[in-house]
């Protein structure tokens, strides 16, 4: 399991700070957005972070910031268009403004 410690957008990049158990091997992360867009203004999209530990069962607590290009999550590819990302495991909506 992972714990999301912080989230922020910088341009078209989503930065997610996570902590997880491990420390003996590489871990991989992927962010997937739902194709379904909630009808609201601004639009909302459900997003999920998946984590693969590649059989690293060490006990150290690792903190890492993941950088993800989220430009494909924008339904409207116009500079300044807004969408709210609802990240599973994070309690606040994340405002993303397409650049």
């Amino acid at each position: 399991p992972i714990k999301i410690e912080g989230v922020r957008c910088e341009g078209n990049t989503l930065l997610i700070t996570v902590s997880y158990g491990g420390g003996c091997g590489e871990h991989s992360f992927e962010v997937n957005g739902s194709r379904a867009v909630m009808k609201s203004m601004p639009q909302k999209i459900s997003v999920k972070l998946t984590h693969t530990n590649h059989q690293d069962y060490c006990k150290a607590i690792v903190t890492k910031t993941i950088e993800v290009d989220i430009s494909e999550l924008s339904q409207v590819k116009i500079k300044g268009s807004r969408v709210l990302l609802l990240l599973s495991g994070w309690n606040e909506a994340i405002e993303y403004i397409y650049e």
Side-chain angles (χ1 to χ4, degrees), residues 33-88:
S34 171
R35 298 255 184 240
V37 176
M38 296 174 205
K39 293 184 186 228
S40 61
M41 289 306 287
Q43 293 179 330
K44 296 177 184 173
I45 299 174
S46 294
V47 180
K48 183 174 183 176
L49 174 67
T50 56
H51 166 234
T52 304
N53 71 0
H54 301 286
Q55 299 184 352
D56 175 6
Y57 299 111
C58 291
K59 303 286 187 203
I61 300 299
V62 178
T63 301
K64 179 178 184 174
T65 299
I66 303 156
E67 296 184 20
V68 181
D69 179 354
I70 55 172
S71 58
E72 290 304 313
L73 295 178
S74 180
Q75 300 295 311
V76 180
K77 307 284 193 273
I78 299 172
K79 186 174 181 172
S81 61
R82 293 178 48 212
V83 65
L84 294 178
L85 306 177
L86 306 176
L87 178 62
S88 179

Side-chain angles (χ1 to χ4, degrees), residues 2-10 13-20 26-31 49 61-69 87:
I2 61 172
K3 179 179 180 187
I4 299 173
E5 303 284 349
V7 180
R8 70 181 190 281
C9 280
E10 288 183 7
T13 303
L14 182 64
L15 295 110
I16 307 170
T17 302
V18 296
S19 61
Y20 55 90
E26 199 62 37
H27 290 235
S28 58
F29 299 87
E30 187 175 348
V31 172
L49 174 67
I61 300 299
V62 178
T63 301
K64 179 178 184 174
T65 299
I66 303 156
E67 296 184 20
V68 181
D69 179 354
L87 178 62

